[in-house]
Amino acid sequence: GLGDVYKRQLFKVENGKAAAVLEPETTIKNGDFEEFEGNVFKGFSHDDPGKATFVDTEVKYRGRASCRMEAQTKGCARIRPVVKVRPWHLYCLKFMMKSKDLKGKPRVEVDGRDVDKRQLSYQVPPVKPTQDWTEHCILFNSWGNSVVRIDLGLWSWCVKGGTVWIDDLRIEPAGLYNVLRRPGCPVTVKGSDGTVYEEGKDYARIEDPHLAPWDARYHEPPAIKVREGSRIKEGEFLLVSYYSPLIRGEHSVSVCFSEPEVWEIIEYNLRRLKEIFHPKEYLASLDEVRLVNHCYACRSRGMTTGELMGATGRRLYEIVKKVDPDADMLIWQDMFDPFHNALRKNYYYNPGTCDKSWEGLPKDVVIATWKRKRESQEFFFKRGHRQ
């Protein structure tokens, strides 16, 4: 199952601390852009070499060359290395980037190549229109994949002009970066022989003092500190399971549908909205849900993704009626619509589909349709919903 999203990351104990280890096979070949012929870098596929992507021996961070990308009015300017990884590991993709007169922002996508080829990460590094060489970092989880493809560069619909240079492209283990500690996100530390070590006794409590789940900028992850008298030995390899949030875009993250504190916050906010605005209706922005039903809090409920989505819509409705009985609740239709996103398999980071999510919605929930299809409107009409 997916109860531990980040399964068995390999750590090694050195000088009383354990940090994540990178396996030898996980490397970006020619990530320093030193091997090339013409405008083609060895080991990479390019968009339009010599037109959109170039070998630049004049402007580089270090070494012989960098990869220069020119924004295109049509098409893209990207490089795409393929990398071997370990399944269920958290990685940090680092690179140096320089920019000039950029109109828009570059982006990075990481896709699985040997399981379901889903998108594993899409992030927008905070690149300034014009900047000198600056290090950027993109986090991704390999999920079940042992091979991933990285797309890095300029998409024509995101960038309307300008130039970027990329150099020193590499992968590092992300370790305990933004490790989450909440009831639904347990941490487990085991020895390679299966021994389960005890937090507070064998090692100090694991926390990231710089935790910022919505911030795509990289910070140094904490190490596991071995306590005096611990059963953990110097030089030992540890298998560590933990959770870290997936950032999408520039700073977008998901909340957990199953943690009680989330619902306390929602109810508090609804009460304040009623006090301030006295609305006649509330719109639940439960649409394009990108990450659900992975952590222990969700998986322990024994629900399908569709059942969990339906239960969430119903819970929102119940809180609205509790706070403001005379008001209507509207909800976006896509995650409850079999003709839109509800039956899309493995939608973004979601396991399975949201099949039968619509069965969780009470009949007097008003459906807000943003993709108007006749079959969708007929579907909700037959189920008794106003739209």
Side-chain angles (χ1 to χ4, degrees):
L2 296 173
D4 280 342
V5 176
Y6 307 102
K7 298 181 181 181
R8 302 182 299 279
Q9 185 106 23
L10 188 66
F11 282 60
K12 185 179 181 180
V13 181
E14 292 182 340
N15 299 318
K17 295 181 179 180
V21 176
L22 188 69
E23 294 76 9
E25 69 270 22
T26 302
T27 183
I28 299 178
K29 297 179 180 179
N30 198 28
D32 54 5
F33 299 103
E34 296 299 278
E35 298 182 54
F36 53 85
E37 184 174 342
N39 277 302
V40 176
F41 290 101
K42 183 179 179 180
F44 290 83
S45 60
H46 293 250
D47 287 321
D48 292 331
K51 178 183 176 183
T53 56
F54 304 83
V55 171
D56 194 326
T57 57
E58 298 297 323
V59 179
K60 66 266 190 183
Y61 175 66
R62 61 184 173 190
R64 297 173 60 203
S66 71
C67 178
R68 186 175 85 248
M69 300 177 179
E70 302 282 354
Q72 305 295 300
T73 54
K74 293 183 179 180
C76 303
R78 302 166 300 186
I79 53 172
R80 293 188 295 274
V82 175
V83 186
K84 291 182 179 180
V85 293
R86 287 289 181 96
W88 304 108
H89 275 48
L90 184 64
Y91 291 102
C92 177
L93 175 70
K94 289 185 176 181
F95 55 93
M96 302 300 297
M97 180 172 282
K98 178 183 173 74
S99 63
K100 182 179 180 182
D101 300 329
L102 203 57
K103 296 179 176 64
K105 290 186 178 180
R107 59 193 279 175
V108 183
E109 294 184 3
V110 182
D111 299 322
R113 305 310 295 169
D114 62 339
V115 178
D116 56 16
K117 296 187 179 181
R118 79 162 76 209
Q119 188 182 88
L120 304 176
S121 180
Y122 146 54
Q123 291 180 42
V124 178
V127 179
K128 297 177 181 178
T130 297
Q131 68 176 35
D132 202 354
W133 289 107
T134 304
E135 185 177 66
H136 296 281
C137 172
I138 299 299
L139 275 292
F140 72 91
N141 188 323
S142 58
W143 290 40
N145 294 277
S146 58
V147 179
V148 300
R149 190 185 76 181
I150 298 164
D151 285 28
L152 170 59
L154 309 178
W155 278 251
S156 60
W157 53 92
C158 300
V159 181
K160 300 303 181 183
T163 306
V164 297
W165 292 263
I166 297 173
D167 206 347
D168 201 17
L169 181 64
R170 62 201 187 279
I171 283 185
E172 297 178 0
L176 295 167
Y177 177 87
N178 274 345
V179 59
L180 289 178
R181 299 306 305 266
R182 56 179 173 84
C185 292
V187 173
T188 304
V189 177
K190 295 182 179 180
S192 55
D193 61 355
T195 302
V196 179
Y197 293 117
E198 185 178 341
E199 188 172 48
K201 183 177 180 180
D202 293 302
Y203 59 93
R205 177 175 170 81
I206 294 173
E207 289 182 343
D208 187 347
H210 304 293
L211 174 67
W214 55 88
D215 193 342
R217 291 174 298 180
Y218 182 75
H219 61 257
E220 196 68 26
I224 299 174
K225 298 178 182 178
V226 179
R227 301 198 67 177
E228 187 175 349
S230 171
R231 293 173 292 169
I232 300 173
K233 306 301 181 185
E234 181 70 15
E236 183 176 355
F237 285 96
L238 304 176
L239 302 174
V240 186
S241 296
Y242 57 99
Y243 293 82
S244 179
L246 286 174
I247 299 172
R248 181 165 181 81
E250 293 185 74
H251 49 71
S252 179
V253 294
S254 299
V255 297
C256 177
F257 292 165
S258 301
E259 285 287 359
E261 190 175 353
V262 168
W263 296 104
E264 293 171 8
I265 294 169
I266 289 173
E267 182 172 338
Y268 170 81
N269 284 330
L270 282 170
R271 292 189 183 280
R272 294 294 290 137
L273 285 170
K274 181 185 177 183
E275 290 171 6
I276 296 169
F277 296 109
H278 309 290
K280 294 181 180 179
E281 54 192 20
Y282 300 81
L283 173 61
S285 193
L286 189 66
D287 65 302
E288 292 192 337
V289 177
R290 310 296 173 89
L291 177 63
V292 64
N293 209 15
H294 279 287
C295 75
Y296 178 77
C298 287
R299 302 296 291 206
S300 64
R301 296 172 69 178
M303 291 182 168
T304 65
T305 302
E307 290 169 341
L308 184 59
M309 191 70 64
T312 302
R314 184 171 62 251
R315 183 76 179 275
L316 286 168
Y317 167 83
E318 290 169 350
I319 293 178
V320 168
K321 288 301 181 182
K322 176 182 176 182
V323 171
D324 201 346
D326 296 327
D328 284 330
M329 190 188 88
L330 289 72
I331 197 164
W332 292 115
Q333 110 284 355
D334 65 305
M335 303 309 298
F336 305 92
D337 185 347
F339 303 101
H340 196 176
N341 289 332
L343 294 186
R344 289 178 63 178
K345 187 177 180 182
N346 295 329
Y347 179 67
Y348 289 100
Y349 313 130
N350 300 333
T353 72
C354 284
D355 187 24
K356 298 183 180 179
S357 58
W358 50 85
E359 293 182 358
L361 297 180
K363 294 295 187 290
D364 56 342
V365 169
V366 182
I367 304 299
T369 53
W370 61 271
K371 192 170 186 179
R372 298 179 180 178
K373 295 183 177 181
R374 181 179 179 86
E375 56 265 41
S376 299
Q377 293 176 314
E378 290 178 346
F379 173 79
F380 288 112
F381 174 77
K382 290 177 182 178
R383 292 193 60 82
H385 292 281
R386 288 178 291 150
Q387 300 180 63

